[in-house]
Amino acid sequence: RIALDGFSPAFAEQLREGTEPFGRLLARNGVVFSVEVLGLLAAPPADVWAAEGRVPGGATLYGRIGRLVRADGWTIAETVELLPRA
């Protein structure tokens, strides 16, 4: 969940498009932030992961639940990130 109301309309639209990694867009636009890890997780194998073509079939994904916080303490976003084992 992204708090789009904290950004200019043009920048919020870039975030909505989702064509670039979220953190990269924030950094390029001068948004200083940190990530608070709220929890770690494992997602069992599912065909949907392989359907994207980036994860081998039967792979368990690992990740974290986090909160991106601007330097002034404002919550930019709550995130869930999943990655296959390297």
Side-chain angles (χ1 to χ4, degrees), residues 2-83:
I2 304 170
L4 294 173
D5 59 337
F7 302 106
S8 71
F11 185 47
E13 183 57 31
Q14 287 181 343
L15 294 170
R16 227 182 263 109
E17 288 171 358
T19 57
E20 285 189 66
F22 185 62
R24 183 181 303 160
L25 279 172
L26 292 173
R28 191 174 68 224
N29 284 275
V31 179
V32 177
F33 67 95
S34 61
V35 178
E36 296 176 359
V37 176
L38 303 175
L40 302 174
L41 57 97
D47 291 338
V48 68
W49 311 140
E52 284 294 316
R54 299 179 187 171
V55 178
T60 297
L61 300 182
Y62 300 89
R64 65 184 180 184
I65 300 167
R67 181 175 29 237
L68 279 69
V69 181
R70 203 167 53 191
D72 64 3
W74 183 70
T75 298
I76 297 169
E78 296 167 324
T79 61
V80 175
E81 299 171 272
L82 294 171
L83 300 168

